[in-house]
Every structure is written in structure tokens, then in C-alpha cells.
Amino acid sequence: DFTVNALYYDPTTETVIDRHTFEDFFTFRMHLSELIGDFPAPAEIPAVLSSLDHLIDMAEQTRDDRDMVRFWRLNHALQDATGKLIGNQSLRETHMRYYFLACRIWYSVIEGIFDDQSADFIGEAQEIVKALKAGDLRAVGFIQRNHIALGMHRISPFFLSE
């Protein structure tokens, strides 16, 4: 069963999810990300670029320190930054909500895959910076979509087949 009662992660609440729900959930998140380019907020590009440069520097230090708490804060900051690039409020809210729901799954498995996931996080942020410098908000959505897919494949072994 997959039950979520709050938007943000509550570390005292255990999340149980079956493989089918996991796949549905992450597939939906991938499709949400693809919609970013359909509802762009180009005026936000300069502010987001500025925040991502700082975020990448912090992520490299976080990877070296293996600081899980800071890693999650940086993930939240990246999600917040990409959310600012969505000009449609309904899509932005849904995008953010499903990100925080996904965190409930990630928190349960991240320690075993931290090195790979933190390297992918840095790569994703760097790719988003390149897309933003080119003014390509559609690419931002597809970059995020592809990294969600990579993460989905990375954590799928943690879920039993039904």
C-alpha cells in the first residue's frame, strides 16, 4: 500500500510501496517533467542559473563528505529551481508534490546508492545549466525526465517483483 498524508517527508512515517505503484509513480513523474517546456517561465532563467552555480559547488563538497542531510537539501533546492521555470501554477504544484512523494521512496534506499546518485545529481545540475544558458526550457524538462528514469532504474532492484 502507498499512503501519503503530507506533502513533505516525515522521517517518522514508513512508506511501503509495491513494484507496480512504484513504476506508475515514477512514469508519471517523467511525463510531468516533459511538460515543463510546454509551460515555460523564461524570466526566471537568470535567477535559476545563479542558484545552480552555487548548488553545483555545494553538491561536489557534499559528495566528498557523504553528507546525506545536505544532499537532500540540495535535491530540494534543485527541485525548487526547476519548479520556478514552470509558468503554469497547476503543473508547478503537481510537479513539486510528486517530487516530495518520491523523496519518501528515495530516503529509504539512498545510503546504498549514494555515490552514484550524488554523481548523477551533479551531472543533472550541470546539464540544466547548459540548457538554461542556451535558453532551452524544453531541454530542462527532458534532462529532468532522463534523470528520473536513471534513478528509477537504479532503485528498482529494491522493490520485489509481483
Side-chain angles (χ1 to χ4, degrees):
D1 294 5
F2 182 66
T3 306
V4 177
N5 296 321
L7 176 61
Y8 296 97
Y9 173 69
D10 175 1
T12 64
T13 304
E14 185 175 326
T15 299
V16 179
I17 185 169
D18 63 68
R19 185 170 191 90
H20 176 73
T21 304
F22 161 77
E23 289 171 353
D24 281 353
F25 184 79
F26 274 80
T27 300
F28 183 65
R29 284 195 68 224
M30 289 188 296
H31 288 291
L32 281 174
S33 294
E34 292 171 7
L35 294 173
I36 291 173
D38 292 338
F39 302 96
E44 297 296 327
I45 290 175
V48 170
L49 271 172
S50 177
S51 69
L52 290 183
D53 287 335
H54 177 67
L55 186 136
I56 291 167
D57 291 339
M58 290 180 60
E60 290 170 347
Q61 183 63 48
T62 298
R63 177 190 55 201
D64 295 342
D65 295 344
R66 293 189 55 82
D67 185 335
M68 301 289 173
V69 172
R70 191 172 352 146
F71 178 71
W72 285 114
R73 287 184 183 140
L74 293 173
N75 271 272
H76 299 339
L78 179 60
Q79 181 66 24
D80 184 59
T82 56
K84 289 177 181 172
L85 299 169
I86 302 171
N88 178 283
Q89 182 177 348
S90 295
L91 176 59
R92 184 175 46 255
E93 288 173 0
T94 303
H95 189 257
M96 293 297 286
R97 176 165 172 70
Y98 275 82
Y99 163 77
F100 282 107
L101 293 174
C103 287
R104 298 175 69 87
I105 298 166
W106 278 106
Y107 287 141
S108 68
V109 299
I110 191 64
E111 261 189 75
I113 57 173
F114 179 80
D115 293 333
D116 290 336
Q117 198 58 37
S118 62
D120 284 349
F121 174 84
I122 293 166
E124 178 181 4
Q126 291 170 333
E127 289 174 36
I128 289 172
V129 166
K130 289 178 190 173
L132 290 176
K133 286 181 177 177
D136 190 349
L137 289 173
R138 184 164 303 283
V140 171
F142 283 106
I143 290 164
Q144 187 175 66
R145 179 250 178 254
N146 290 343
H147 281 273
I148 291 169
L150 284 171
M152 179 179 162
H153 291 291
R154 179 168 290 130
I155 65 175
S156 65
F158 291 92
F159 297 92
L160 298 175
S161 295
E162 292 185 350

